[in-house]
Amino acid sequence: MPTPEQKTQCYILCCWFTKLYLPINIVHMDERTENLFFLAGEENIIKIYPNGKWRYIG
């Protein structure tokens, strides 16, 4: 299960990307590292750490 910080950050980032008319295609939780990943559009990958901080992968 994602942490409350991850849920909040995921919601905020999803709102930002949908304002740019990019669909959120995949949301995945890596249970080994507990990081949350989502794919917006065709090539925008975001990694959200358990503490709520995030990083743009590509």
Side-chain angles (χ1 to χ4, degrees):
M1 289 296 294
T3 64
E5 293 85 3
Q6 282 176 312
K7 290 178 192 178
T8 302
Q9 194 61 261
C10 185
Y11 176 78
I12 292 168
L13 291 170
C14 286
C15 288
W16 287 355
F17 278 104
T18 55
K19 283 183 182 180
L20 297 171
Y21 298 102
L22 292 172
I24 307 302
N25 295 318
I26 297 173
V27 177
H28 175 72
M29 175 89 175
D30 183 354
E31 294 186 18
R32 184 176 46 89
T33 61
E34 297 184 352
N35 293 330
L36 189 67
F37 293 88
F38 72 85
L39 174 65
E42 294 182 11
E43 55 189 41
N44 298 298
I45 302 169
I46 304 294
K47 178 191 225 180
I48 305 173
Y49 300 101
N51 62 4
K53 295 188 183 211
W54 61 277
R55 190 176 117 183
Y56 180 78
I57 303 294

